[in-house]
Amino acid sequence: MSQQPTHSLPSYLNADDLGPWGIYLEQIERVTPYLGSLSKWVETLKRPKRVLMVDVPIELDNGTIAHFEGYRVQHNTSRGPGKGGIRFHQDVTLSEVMALSGWMSIKCAAVNVPFGGAKGGIRINPHEHSQREVERVARRYIHEVRPIIGPNQDIPAPDVNTNGQTMAWMMDAYSQLVGTTTPGIVTGKPISLGGSLGRVEATGRGVFVTGVEAAKDKGIDLNGARVVVQGFGNVGGTAARLFHESGSKVIAVQDHTGTIFNEQGLDVPAVLQHVADTGGVAGAPNAEAIDPASFWQIENEFLIPAALENQITADNAHSLRTKILIEGANGPTTPEADDILSDKGVWIIPDVIANAGGVTVSYFEWAQNFSSYFWDEDLINQRLEAMMRAAYRDNAAVAAQHHVSLRTAAFITACTRILEARNIRGLYP
Ligand code: GLU
């Protein structure tokens, strides 16, 4: 019998420009030698289980018709239903959504949440549209991806430029379609629709908790430690507030509106209020506006990229002056930058651990929806913190055992868990 060749690249991708999926693939290749006999299943991680591309047509407020490109990618469901957010961004690509879905598989497995990985995206700049237009896009997208989502199948959540309101529209659209109010179809919902207490802050809280664990390992005192944050939305804003409340000094913040600095420490509650009022950090009180290019050269103890992918690259990694890099965003550091920073002795808490607080409380929300029994916020934060601390500690132990970075350790833990499930389930039919 002739041996079938295995191709690790789906033909629907451009081999010359793999984009974020290329980064994800490189991360998988780096850990394959650690997977032992499970490596026979590794191809399963190098191609998504299911890719759906949809056309999302809506009528604009002026009566014309606009079409948007939408995606839902289910990367892996060996350990449980697909799970992952939906982002609205003008630059969304298939490669990006694939990579983000792969990182969701790794993230859920690394912190031991019983989900597989999925992700969605729509190529739209929501800031250029009215609320009504964005609502139509959200509802129509759910109609289009409905054949592959479901509360036991694939459960979306918020991501870049989507929030509780977006989830409310999506939950309503799905519920109207199936004829039953179905809170468990999405997580990150408003509390009035069965959302979970603590969900909005969960990702930022996880960033903080893992940062505290790393600080213990690296002998850094939180009190007076300098913190620099890129992105001041849900993730960066919450993390900054928690560091600030612990006595750290948040000295610089950058977002799409500008870069602000105060060597003595910014007044974080005032910056948060300013962002709530104006939509960005530019012009916040008691802060100096600085050149965005100088942002990456500011000396600090904790650097928190909490915006988009590919922010720390071979071009700026050399100039970074930080001790602990906490990846609040997904994929902010390229593999080349990862190597440069590791050589410089920077301790990186990778996205798949650092920002897993969001999906962890999404798991709590989903479980609460299924039992229709809701937990109080203290219990949620306690359980979140315990899971985040355990994930950090377990993966730090794997890193020490194999003398590898925390990212490689998280990928070893996660790939092993996913492929053990794959192996024991077997192939059917
Ligand atoms: N979008 C978030 C992430 O990247 C949350 C996903 C979820 O809660 O399902 O982790």
Side-chain angles (χ1 to χ4, degrees):
M1 237 169 56
S2 70
Q3 188 92 31
Q4 285 296 313
T6 54
H7 300 286
S8 48
L9 216 53
S11 63
Y12 48 80
L13 282 190
N14 174 2
D16 298 328
D17 181 16
L18 285 176
W21 180 250
I23 294 179
Y24 164 81
L25 278 186
E26 198 171 327
Q27 292 166 339
I28 295 294
E29 265 147 32
R30 283 184 180 200
V31 298
T32 306
Y34 297 93
L35 302 177
S37 61
L38 290 172
S39 62
K40 76 169 185 183
W41 290 104
V42 80
E43 275 293 311
T44 219
L45 298 171
K46 293 192 193 166
R47 53 193 66 239
K49 175 183 177 61
R50 199 173 274 133
V51 171
L52 180 59
M53 286 185 239
V54 295
D55 173 37
V56 182
I58 64 151
E59 187 177 327
L60 298 177
D61 295 342
N62 66 12
T64 59
I65 310 291
H67 291 257
F68 301 94
E69 205 168 292
Y71 305 95
R72 185 72 187 171
V73 177
Q74 293 168 352
H75 175 262
N76 188 279
T77 55
S78 294
R79 300 177 63 255
K83 187 83 191 80
I86 297 172
R87 67 173 53 178
F88 285 8
H89 197 277
Q90 60 277 15
D91 299 330
V92 160
T93 61
L94 174 60
S95 160
E96 180 188 30
V97 180
M98 283 171 60
L100 290 162
S101 72
W103 289 323
M104 285 309 301
S105 297
I106 300 296
K107 189 185 303 187
C108 292
V111 301
N112 220 358
V113 163
F115 289 131
K119 200 82 177 195
I122 304 179
R123 274 178 84 85
I124 181 174
N125 180 351
H127 306 299
E128 287 177 354
H129 291 273
S130 70
Q131 183 73 345
R132 301 261 340 258
E133 290 174 350
V134 173
E135 174 178 351
R136 281 182 218 125
V137 166
R139 290 180 181 278
R140 181 63 191 243
Y141 171 84
I142 288 297
H143 275 249
E144 298 303 332
V145 301
R146 184 207 165 187
I148 67 163
I149 62 167
N152 276 314
Q153 240 178 311
D154 178 2
I155 306 112
D159 198 75
V160 173
N161 289 332
T162 52
N163 55 25
Q165 175 63 78
T166 328
M167 294 306 111
W169 292 324
M170 291 183 167
M171 178 273 209
D172 184 66
Y174 185 87
S175 298
Q176 302 291 350
L177 276 166
V178 299
T180 316
T181 294
T182 314
I185 179 60
V186 291
T187 58
K189 296 179 293 295
I191 304 296
S192 56
L193 291 182
S196 179
L197 294 166
R199 175 62 184 85
V200 173
E201 295 193 341
T203 311
R205 190 172 289 280
V207 164
F208 172 70
V209 170
T210 55
V212 170
E213 290 306 302
K216 286 183 203 158
D217 285 351
K218 301 291 156 194
I220 293 172
D221 187 357
L222 238 52
N223 199 24
R226 292 162 298 178
V227 182
V228 167
V229 186
Q230 187 197 37
F232 215 63
N234 204 11
V235 181
T238 302
R241 181 174 62 73
L242 294 172
F243 273 103
H244 176 77
E245 287 170 3
S246 301
S248 304
K249 289 191 297 189
V250 178
I251 57 169
V253 174
Q254 178 172 81
D255 74 0
H256 64 287
T257 64
T259 307
I260 57 170
F261 178 74
N262 184 334
E263 205 173 357
Q264 304 310 314
L266 293 158
D267 179 350
V268 174
V271 180
L272 286 167
Q273 189 56 51
H274 182 80
V275 172
D277 294 342
T278 68
V281 300
N286 300 323
E288 182 192 334
I290 59 164
D291 171 22
S294 62
F295 176 78
W296 299 107
Q297 279 122 50
I298 299 168
E299 191 174 355
N300 60 74
E301 277 69 46
F302 295 97
L303 177 62
I304 308 176
L308 290 169
E309 306 88 82
N310 287 338
Q311 298 301 300
I312 302 171
T313 65
D315 294 337
N316 60 6
H318 287 289
S319 58
L320 255 53
R321 290 189 294 162
T322 188
K323 296 200 168 71
I324 299 178
L325 173 66
I326 320 177
E327 295 185 337
N330 288 310
T333 313
T334 64
E336 300 76 49
D338 216 12
D339 291 341
I340 295 167
L341 294 174
S342 296
D343 290 346
K344 278 167 65 119
V346 175
W347 184 238
I348 304 175
I349 313 177
D351 47 6
V352 291
I353 297 178
N355 73 31
V359 75
T360 301
V361 176
S362 276
Y363 163 48
F364 298 163
E365 179 174 336
W366 183 76
Q368 291 172 85
N369 290 155
F370 269 84
S371 59
S372 291
Y373 179 76
F374 290 87
W375 317 344
D376 69 45
E377 192 160 357
D378 281 348
L379 181 65
I380 287 160
N381 287 341
Q382 233 174 55
R383 288 183 172 169
L384 167 65
E385 285 172 25
M387 280 186 72
M388 294 303 294
R389 265 198 298 272
Y392 179 88
R393 287 283 145 225
D394 292 352
N395 285 294
V398 173
Q401 181 197 340
H402 293 290
H403 306 287
V404 294
S405 68
L406 205 49
R407 189 187 315 278
T408 302
F411 271 71
I412 294 173
T413 307
C415 293
T416 303
R417 285 182 178 152
I418 298 167
L419 298 182
E420 263 171 15
R422 177 69 280 164
N423 187 48
I424 203 156
R425 284 176 67 161
L427 282 181
Y428 176 83

